[in-house]
Coordinates of all heavy atoms in Angstrom, one line a residue:
L690 N 109.9 107.8 116.3 CA 109.9 107.0 115.1 C 109.1 105.7 115.4 O 109.4 105.0 116.3 CB 111.3 106.6 114.6 CG 111.4 105.8 113.3 CD1 110.9 106.6 112.1 CD2 112.8 105.3 113.1
I691 N 108.1 105.5 114.6 CA 107.2 104.3 114.7 C 107.4 103.6 113.4 O 107.1 104.1 112.3 CB 105.7 104.7 114.9 CG1 105.6 105.6 116.2 CG2 104.9 103.4 115.0 CD1 104.3 106.3 116.3
V692 N 107.8 102.3 113.4 CA 107.9 101.5 112.2 C 106.9 100.4 112.2 O 106.7 99.7 113.2 CB 109.3 100.8 112.2 CG1 109.5 100.0 110.9 CG2 110.4 101.9 112.2
I693 N 106.1 100.4 111.1 CA 105.0 99.5 111.0 C 105.1 98.7 109.6 O 105.8 99.2 108.7 CB 103.6 100.2 111.2 CG1 103.4 101.2 110.1 CG2 103.5 100.8 112.5 CD1 102.0 101.8 110.1
K694 N 104.3 97.7 109.6 CA 104.2 96.9 108.3 C 102.7 96.8 108.0 O 101.9 96.6 108.9 CB 104.7 95.5 108.5 CG 104.7 94.6 107.3 CD 105.4 93.3 107.5 CE 105.4 92.5 106.2 NZ 106.2 91.3 106.3
L695 N 102.4 97.1 106.7 CA 101.0 97.0 106.2 C 101.0 96.5 104.8 O 102.1 96.4 104.2 CB 100.3 98.4 106.3 CG 100.9 99.5 105.5 CD1 99.8 100.6 105.4 CD2 102.1 100.1 106.1
P696 N 99.9 96.1 104.3 CA 99.8 95.6 103.0 C 100.3 96.6 102.0 O 99.9 97.8 102.0 CB 98.3 95.3 102.7 CG 97.8 95.0 104.1 CD 98.5 96.0 105.0
P697 N 101.3 96.3 101.1 CA 101.8 97.3 100.2 C 100.8 98.0 99.4 O 101.0 99.2 99.1 CB 102.7 96.4 99.3 CG 103.1 95.3 100.1 CD 101.9 95.0 101.0
A698 N 99.7 97.4 99.1 CA 98.6 98.1 98.3 C 98.0 99.2 99.0 O 97.3 100.1 98.4 CB 97.6 97.0 97.9
V699 N 98.1 99.3 100.3 CA 97.4 100.4 101.1 C 98.4 101.5 101.6 O 98.0 102.4 102.3 CB 96.6 99.9 102.2 CG1 95.5 99.0 101.8 CG2 97.4 99.2 103.3
I700 N 99.7 101.4 101.1 CA 100.7 102.4 101.6 C 100.2 103.8 101.2 O 100.3 104.7 102.0 CB 102.1 102.1 101.0 CG1 102.6 100.8 101.7 CG2 103.0 103.3 101.3 CD1 104.0 100.4 101.2
G701 N 99.8 104.0 99.9 CA 99.3 105.3 99.5 C 98.2 105.8 100.3 O 98.1 107.0 100.7
L702 N 97.2 105.0 100.5 CA 96.0 105.3 101.3 C 96.4 105.7 102.7 O 96.0 106.7 103.3 CB 95.0 104.2 101.4 CG 93.9 104.3 102.3 CD1 93.0 105.5 101.9 CD2 93.1 103.0 102.4
F703 N 97.3 104.9 103.3 CA 97.8 105.1 104.7 C 98.5 106.5 104.8 O 98.2 107.3 105.7 CB 98.7 104.0 105.1 CG 99.3 104.2 106.5 CD1 98.6 103.9 107.6 CD2 100.6 104.7 106.7 CE1 99.1 104.1 108.9 CE2 101.1 104.9 107.9 CZ 100.4 104.6 109.0
Q704 N 99.3 106.8 103.8 CA 100.1 108.0 103.8 C 99.1 109.2 103.7 O 99.2 110.2 104.4 CB 101.1 108.1 102.7 CG 101.9 109.3 102.7 CD 103.1 109.3 101.8 OE1 103.3 108.3 101.0 NE2 103.9 110.3 101.8
S705 N 98.1 109.1 102.8 CA 97.1 110.2 102.6 C 96.3 110.4 103.9 O 96.1 111.6 104.2 CB 96.2 109.8 101.5 OG 96.9 109.8 100.2
L706 N 95.9 109.3 104.5 CA 95.2 109.5 105.8 C 96.0 110.1 106.9 O 95.5 111.0 107.6 CB 94.6 108.1 106.2 CG 93.6 107.5 105.3 CD1 93.3 106.0 105.7 CD2 92.3 108.3 105.4
I707 N 97.2 109.7 107.0 CA 98.0 110.3 108.1 C 98.3 111.8 107.8 O 98.2 112.7 108.7 CB 99.4 109.6 108.2 CG1 99.2 108.2 108.8 CG2 100.4 110.4 109.1 CD1 98.6 108.1 110.2
E708 N 98.6 112.1 106.5 CA 98.8 113.5 106.1 C 97.6 114.4 106.3 O 97.7 115.6 106.4 CB 99.4 113.6 104.7 CG 100.8 113.1 104.7 CD 101.4 113.0 103.3 OE1 100.7 113.4 102.3 OE2 102.6 112.7 103.1
S709 N 96.4 113.8 106.3 CA 95.2 114.6 106.4 C 95.0 115.1 107.8 O 94.3 116.0 108.1 CB 93.9 113.8 106.0 OG 93.7 112.8 106.9
Y710 N 95.8 114.5 108.8 CA 95.8 115.0 110.2 C 97.0 115.9 110.3 O 98.1 115.5 110.5 CB 95.9 113.9 111.2 CG 94.7 113.0 111.2 CD1 94.5 111.9 110.4 CD2 93.7 113.2 112.1 CE1 93.4 111.1 110.4 CE2 92.5 112.4 112.2 CZ 92.4 111.3 111.3 OH 91.3 110.5 111.4
E711 N 96.8 117.2 110.2 CA 97.8 118.2 110.2 C 98.7 118.0 111.4 O 98.3 118.0 112.6 CB 97.3 119.6 110.3 CG 96.8 120.1 109.0 CD 97.8 120.6 108.0 OE1 98.8 121.1 108.4 OE2 97.7 120.3 106.8
G712 N 100.0 117.9 111.2 CA 101.0 117.8 112.3 C 101.1 116.5 113.0 O 101.9 116.5 114.0
I713 N 100.3 115.5 112.7 CA 100.4 114.2 113.4 C 101.7 113.5 113.2 O 102.4 113.0 114.1 CB 99.2 113.3 113.0 CG1 98.0 113.9 113.7 CG2 99.5 111.9 113.5 CD1 97.9 113.7 115.2
G714 N 102.1 113.5 111.9 CA 103.4 112.8 111.5 C 103.6 112.8 110.1 O 102.8 113.2 109.3
I715 N 104.8 112.3 109.7 CA 105.2 112.2 108.3 C 105.5 110.7 108.1 O 106.2 110.1 108.8 CB 106.5 113.0 108.1 CG1 106.2 114.5 108.4 CG2 107.0 112.8 106.7 CD1 107.5 115.3 108.5
V716 N 104.9 110.2 107.0 CA 105.1 108.8 106.6 C 106.2 108.7 105.6 O 106.3 109.5 104.6 CB 103.8 108.3 106.0 CG1 104.0 106.8 105.5 CG2 102.7 108.4 107.0
R717 N 107.1 107.8 105.8 CA 108.2 107.5 104.8 C 108.2 106.0 104.6 O 108.1 105.2 105.5 CB 109.6 107.8 105.4 CG 109.8 109.3 105.6 CD 109.9 110.0 104.3 NE 110.1 111.4 104.5 CZ 109.2 112.4 104.1 NH1 108.1 112.0 103.5 NH2 109.4 113.6 104.3
T718 N 108.2 105.6 103.3 CA 108.2 104.2 102.9 C 109.7 103.7 103.0 O 110.6 104.3 102.4 CB 107.7 104.0 101.5 OG1 106.4 104.5 101.4 CG2 107.7 102.6 101.1
L719 N 109.9 102.7 103.8 CA 111.2 102.1 104.0 C 111.4 100.9 103.0 O 112.5 100.7 102.5 CB 111.4 101.7 105.4 CG 111.2 102.8 106.5 CD1 111.3 102.2 107.9 CD2 112.2 103.9 106.2
D720 N 110.4 100.1 102.8 CA 110.5 99.0 101.9 C 109.1 98.7 101.3 O 108.2 98.2 102.0 CB 111.0 97.7 102.7 CG 111.2 96.5 101.8 OD1 110.5 96.4 100.8 OD2 112.2 95.8 102.1
Q721 N 108.9 99.2 100.1 CA 107.6 99.2 99.5 C 107.1 97.7 99.3 O 106.0 97.4 99.5 CB 107.6 99.9 98.2 CG 106.2 100.0 97.5 CD 106.2 100.9 96.3 OE1 107.2 101.5 95.9 NE2 105.0 101.0 95.7
A722 N 108.0 96.9 98.8 CA 107.7 95.5 98.5 C 107.2 94.7 99.8 O 106.2 93.9 99.7 CB 108.8 94.7 97.9
Q723 N 107.8 95.0 100.9 CA 107.4 94.4 102.2 C 106.3 95.2 102.9 O 105.8 94.7 103.9 CB 108.6 94.2 103.1 CG 109.6 93.2 102.5 CD 110.7 92.9 103.5 OE1 110.4 92.8 104.7 NE2 111.9 92.7 103.0
G724 N 106.0 96.4 102.5 CA 105.0 97.2 103.1 C 105.5 97.8 104.4 O 104.7 98.0 105.4
I725 N 106.8 98.1 104.5 CA 107.3 98.7 105.8 C 107.4 100.2 105.6 O 108.1 100.7 104.7 CB 108.7 98.0 106.1 CG1 108.5 96.5 106.3 CG2 109.2 98.7 107.4 CD1 109.8 95.8 106.5
V726 N 106.8 100.9 106.6 CA 106.9 102.3 106.6 C 107.2 102.8 108.0 O 107.0 102.1 108.9 CB 105.5 103.0 106.1 CG1 105.1 102.5 104.7 CG2 104.4 102.7 107.1
S727 N 107.7 104.1 108.0 CA 107.9 104.7 109.3 C 107.0 105.9 109.4 O 106.7 106.5 108.4 CB 109.4 105.1 109.4 OG 109.7 106.1 108.5
V728 N 106.6 106.2 110.6 CA 105.9 107.4 110.9 C 106.7 108.3 111.8 O 107.0 107.8 113.0 CB 104.5 107.1 111.5 CG1 103.7 108.4 111.8 CG2 103.7 106.2 110.6
L729 N 107.1 109.4 111.4 CA 107.9 110.3 112.2 C 107.0 111.3 112.9 O 106.1 111.9 112.2 CB 108.9 111.1 111.3 CG 109.9 110.3 110.5 CD1 110.3 111.0 109.3 CD2 111.1 109.9 111.4
T730 N 107.1 111.4 114.2 CA 106.2 112.3 114.9 C 107.1 112.9 116.0 O 108.2 112.5 116.3 CB 105.0 111.6 115.5 OG1 104.1 112.5 116.0 CG2 105.3 110.6 116.5
T731 N 106.5 113.9 116.7 CA 107.2 114.6 117.8 C 106.7 114.0 119.1 O 105.7 113.3 119.2 CB 107.0 116.1 117.8 OG1 105.6 116.3 118.0 CG2 107.4 116.7 116.5
K732 N 107.5 114.2 120.2 CA 107.1 113.7 121.5 C 105.7 114.3 121.9 O 104.9 113.7 122.5 CB 108.1 114.1 122.5 CG 109.4 113.3 122.4 CD 109.2 112.0 123.1 CE 110.5 111.2 123.1 NZ 110.4 109.8 123.3
D733 N 105.5 115.6 121.5 CA 104.3 116.3 121.9 C 103.1 115.7 121.2 O 102.0 115.7 121.7 CB 104.4 117.8 121.5 CG 105.3 118.5 122.4 OD1 105.7 118.0 123.5 OD2 105.8 119.6 122.0
M734 N 103.3 115.1 120.0 CA 102.2 114.5 119.2 C 102.1 113.0 119.3 O 101.2 112.4 118.6 CB 102.3 115.0 117.7 CG 102.2 116.5 117.5 SD 100.6 117.2 118.1 CE 99.5 116.5 116.9
E735 N 103.0 112.4 120.0 CA 103.1 110.9 120.0 C 101.7 110.3 120.4 O 101.3 109.3 119.8 CB 104.2 110.5 120.9 CG 104.5 109.0 120.8 CD 105.7 108.6 121.5 OE1 106.3 109.4 122.3 OE2 106.2 107.5 121.3
L736 N 101.1 110.8 121.5 CA 99.8 110.1 121.9 C 98.7 110.3 120.9 O 98.0 109.4 120.6 CB 99.4 110.7 123.3 CG 100.2 110.3 124.5 CD1 99.7 111.0 125.7 CD2 100.2 108.8 124.7
Q737 N 98.6 111.5 120.3 CA 97.6 111.7 119.3 C 97.9 110.9 118.0 O 97.0 110.3 117.4 CB 97.6 113.2 118.9 CG 97.1 114.1 119.9 CD 98.2 114.7 120.9 OE1 99.2 114.1 121.0 NE2 97.9 115.8 121.5
C738 N 99.2 110.7 117.7 CA 99.6 109.9 116.5 C 99.2 108.5 116.8 O 98.6 107.8 115.9 CB 101.1 110.1 116.3 SG 101.7 109.2 114.8
M739 N 99.5 108.0 117.9 CA 99.1 106.6 118.3 C 97.6 106.4 118.2 O 97.1 105.4 117.8 CB 99.7 106.2 119.6 CG 101.2 106.0 119.6 SD 101.8 104.9 118.3 CE 100.9 103.4 118.6
A740 N 96.8 107.4 118.7 CA 95.4 107.3 118.6 C 94.9 107.2 117.2 O 94.0 106.4 116.9 CB 94.8 108.5 119.4
V741 N 95.5 108.0 116.3 CA 95.1 108.0 114.9 C 95.5 106.7 114.3 O 94.7 106.1 113.6 CB 95.8 109.2 114.1 CG1 95.6 109.0 112.6 CG2 95.2 110.5 114.6
L742 N 96.7 106.2 114.6 CA 97.2 104.9 114.0 C 96.2 103.8 114.5 O 95.8 103.0 113.7 CB 98.6 104.6 114.5 CG 99.7 105.4 113.8 CD1 101.0 105.1 114.5 CD2 99.7 105.2 112.3
N743 N 95.9 103.8 115.7 CA 95.0 102.7 116.2 C 93.6 102.8 115.6 O 93.0 101.8 115.3 CB 94.9 102.8 117.7 CG 96.1 102.2 118.4 OD1 96.8 101.3 117.9 ND2 96.5 102.8 119.5
A744 N 93.1 104.0 115.3 CA 91.8 104.2 114.6 C 91.9 103.7 113.2 O 90.9 103.2 112.6 CB 91.4 105.7 114.7
L745 N 93.1 103.8 112.6 CA 93.2 103.4 111.2 C 93.6 101.9 111.0 O 93.6 101.4 109.9 CB 94.4 104.2 110.5 CG 94.1 105.7 110.3 CD1 95.3 106.4 109.8 CD2 92.9 105.9 109.5
R746 N 93.9 101.3 112.1 CA 94.3 99.9 112.1 C 93.3 98.9 111.3 O 93.7 98.2 110.5 CB 94.6 99.3 113.4 CG 95.2 97.9 113.4 CD 95.6 97.5 114.8 NE 97.1 97.6 114.9 CZ 97.7 97.4 116.0 NH1 97.1 97.1 117.1 NH2 99.0 97.6 116.0
P747 N 92.0 99.0 111.6 CA 91.1 98.1 110.9 C 91.0 98.4 109.4 O 90.9 97.4 108.6 CB 89.7 98.5 111.5 CG 90.0 99.1 112.9 CD 91.3 99.8 112.7
Q748 N 91.2 99.6 109.0 CA 91.1 100.0 107.6 C 92.4 99.6 106.8 O 92.3 99.3 105.7 CB 90.8 101.5 107.5 CG 90.5 101.9 106.1 CD 90.1 103.4 106.0 OE1 90.2 104.1 107.0 NE2 89.8 103.9 104.9
T749 N 93.5 99.7 107.5 CA 94.8 99.6 106.8 C 95.5 98.3 107.2 O 96.5 97.9 106.6 CB 95.7 100.8 107.1 OG1 96.0 100.9 108.5 CG2 95.1 102.0 106.5
Q750 N 95.0 97.6 108.2 CA 95.6 96.3 108.7 C 97.1 96.4 109.0 O 97.8 95.5 108.7 CB 95.3 95.2 107.7 CG 93.9 95.0 107.4 CD 93.6 94.1 106.2 OE1 94.5 93.5 105.7 NE2 92.4 93.9 105.9
W751 N 97.5 97.5 109.6 CA 98.9 97.6 110.0 C 99.2 96.8 111.2 O 98.4 96.5 112.0 CB 99.3 99.1 110.1 CG 98.8 99.8 111.3 CD1 97.7 100.6 111.3 CD2 99.3 99.9 112.6 NE1 97.5 101.1 112.5 CE2 98.5 100.7 113.4 CE3 100.5 99.3 113.2 CZ2 98.7 100.9 114.7 CZ3 100.7 99.6 114.5 CH2 99.8 100.4 115.3
E752 N 100.5 96.5 111.4 CA 101.0 95.9 112.6 C 102.4 96.5 112.9 O 103.1 96.9 112.0 CB 101.1 94.4 112.5 CG 101.9 93.9 111.3 CD 101.8 92.4 111.0 OE1 100.6 92.0 111.0 OE2 102.8 91.8 110.9
Y753 N 102.8 96.4 114.1 CA 104.2 96.9 114.4 C 105.2 96.0 113.7 O 105.0 94.8 113.6 CB 104.5 96.8 115.9 CG 103.8 97.9 116.7 CD1 102.6 97.6 117.4 CD2 104.2 99.2 116.6 CE1 102.0 98.6 118.1 CE2 103.5 100.2 117.3 CZ 102.4 99.9 118.0 OH 101.8 100.9 118.7
C754 N 106.2 96.6 113.2 CA 107.3 95.9 112.5 C 108.2 95.2 113.5 O 108.8 95.9 114.4 CB 108.1 96.8 111.6 SG 109.2 96.0 110.5
P755 N 108.3 93.9 113.5 CA 109.1 93.2 114.5 C 110.6 93.5 114.4 O 111.1 93.6 113.3 CB 108.8 91.7 114.3 CG 108.3 91.7 112.9 CD 107.7 93.0 112.6
D756 N 111.2 93.8 115.5 CA 112.7 94.0 115.5 C 113.1 95.1 114.6 O 114.1 95.0 113.9 CB 113.4 92.7 115.2 CG 113.1 91.6 116.2 OD1 112.9 91.9 117.4 OD2 112.9 90.4 115.8
S757 N 112.3 96.2 114.5 CA 112.7 97.2 113.5 C 114.0 97.9 113.9 O 114.6 98.4 113.0 CB 111.5 98.3 113.5 OG 111.4 98.9 114.8
R758 N 114.4 97.9 115.1 CA 115.7 98.5 115.4 C 116.9 97.7 114.9 O 118.0 98.2 114.7 CB 115.8 98.6 117.0 CG 114.9 99.6 117.6 CD 115.1 99.6 119.1 NE 114.6 98.4 119.6 CZ 113.4 98.2 120.2 NH1 112.6 99.1 120.3 NH2 113.1 97.0 120.7
E759 N 116.6 96.4 114.6 CA 117.7 95.6 114.0 C 117.7 95.5 112.5 O 118.6 94.9 111.9 CB 117.6 94.2 114.6 CG 117.7 94.1 116.1 CD 117.4 92.7 116.7 OE1 117.3 91.8 115.9 OE2 117.2 92.6 117.9
T760 N 116.7 96.1 111.9 CA 116.6 96.1 110.4 C 117.4 97.3 109.8 O 117.3 98.4 110.3 CB 115.2 96.2 110.0 OG1 114.5 95.1 110.7 CG2 115.0 96.0 108.5
D761 N 118.2 97.0 108.8 CA 118.9 98.0 108.1 C 118.1 98.6 107.0 O 117.9 98.0 106.0 CB 120.3 97.4 107.6 CG 121.1 98.5 107.0 OD1 121.0 99.7 107.3 OD2 122.0 98.1 106.1
F762 N 117.6 99.9 107.2 CA 116.9 100.5 106.1 C 117.8 101.5 105.5 O 117.7 102.4 105.1 CB 115.6 101.2 106.7 CG 114.6 100.1 107.2 CD1 114.4 100.0 108.6 CD2 114.0 99.3 106.4 CE1 113.5 99.1 109.0 CE2 113.1 98.4 106.8 CZ 112.8 98.3 108.2

Protein backbone atom coordinates (compact mmCIF):
# COMPACT_ATOMS: atom_id res chain seq x y z
CA LEU A 1 0.00 0.00 0.00
CA ILE A 2 1.39 3.34 -1.07
CA VAL A 3 -0.29 6.48 0.28
CA ILE A 4 0.33 9.73 -1.54
CA LYS A 5 -0.99 13.27 -1.67
CA LEU A 6 -1.62 15.15 -4.89
CA PRO A 7 -3.64 18.15 -6.01
CA PRO A 8 -7.34 17.15 -5.77
CA ALA A 9 -7.94 18.40 -9.32
CA VAL A 10 -5.66 15.68 -10.77
CA ILE A 11 -7.01 12.67 -8.86
CA GLY A 12 -9.11 11.56 -11.85
CA LEU A 13 -6.19 11.95 -14.24
CA PHE A 14 -3.88 10.10 -11.86
CA GLN A 15 -6.33 7.22 -11.50
CA SER A 16 -6.80 6.97 -15.27
CA LEU A 17 -3.05 6.94 -15.88
CA ILE A 18 -2.38 4.24 -13.28
CA GLU A 19 -5.24 2.10 -14.58
CA SER A 20 -3.85 2.36 -18.12
CA TYR A 21 -0.91 0.24 -16.93
CA GLU A 22 -2.52 -3.20 -16.66
CA GLY A 23 -1.87 -4.84 -13.31
CA ILE A 24 0.33 -2.09 -11.84
CA GLY A 25 -2.08 -1.11 -9.10
CA ILE A 26 -5.49 0.03 -8.00
CA VAL A 27 -6.10 3.63 -6.93
CA ARG A 28 -8.49 4.41 -4.08
CA THR A 29 -9.33 7.94 -2.99
CA LEU A 30 -9.00 8.21 0.79
CA ASP A 31 -9.67 11.95 1.19
CA GLN A 32 -10.72 13.83 -1.94
CA ALA A 33 -10.61 17.29 -0.37
CA GLN A 34 -7.00 16.81 0.74
CA GLY A 35 -5.97 14.86 -2.35
CA ILE A 36 -4.95 11.74 -0.46
CA VAL A 37 -5.07 8.48 -2.39
CA SER A 38 -3.72 4.99 -1.94
CA VAL A 39 -2.22 2.77 -4.59
CA LEU A 40 -2.68 -0.92 -3.92
CA THR A 41 -0.12 -3.12 -5.63
CA THR A 42 1.39 -6.55 -5.17
CA LYS A 43 4.92 -7.34 -4.01
CA ASP A 44 5.67 -8.65 -7.51
CA MET A 45 4.62 -5.34 -9.11
CA GLU A 46 5.97 -2.96 -6.47
CA LEU A 47 9.13 -1.95 -8.37
CA GLN A 48 7.23 -1.42 -11.61
CA CYS A 49 4.54 0.54 -9.75
CA MET A 50 7.15 2.82 -8.19
CA ALA A 51 8.76 3.35 -11.60
CA VAL A 52 5.39 4.40 -13.05
CA LEU A 53 4.65 6.64 -10.05
CA ASN A 54 8.03 8.34 -10.37
CA ALA A 55 7.47 8.88 -14.09
CA LEU A 56 4.09 10.49 -13.33
CA ARG A 57 5.39 12.71 -10.55
CA PRO A 58 6.15 15.77 -12.76
CA GLN A 59 2.72 15.59 -14.39
CA THR A 60 0.68 14.94 -11.23
CA GLN A 61 2.87 16.61 -8.59
CA TRP A 62 2.31 13.83 -6.07
CA GLU A 63 4.27 13.43 -2.85
CA TYR A 64 4.36 10.77 -0.19
CA CYS A 65 1.70 11.31 2.43
CA PRO A 66 3.50 12.06 5.70
CA ASP A 67 2.74 9.75 8.60
CA SER A 68 0.13 7.85 6.60
CA ARG A 69 0.28 4.95 9.07
CA GLU A 70 -0.99 7.26 11.82
CA THR A 71 -3.87 8.70 9.79
CA ASP A 72 -7.31 7.20 10.29
CA PHE A 73 -8.92 6.68 6.88
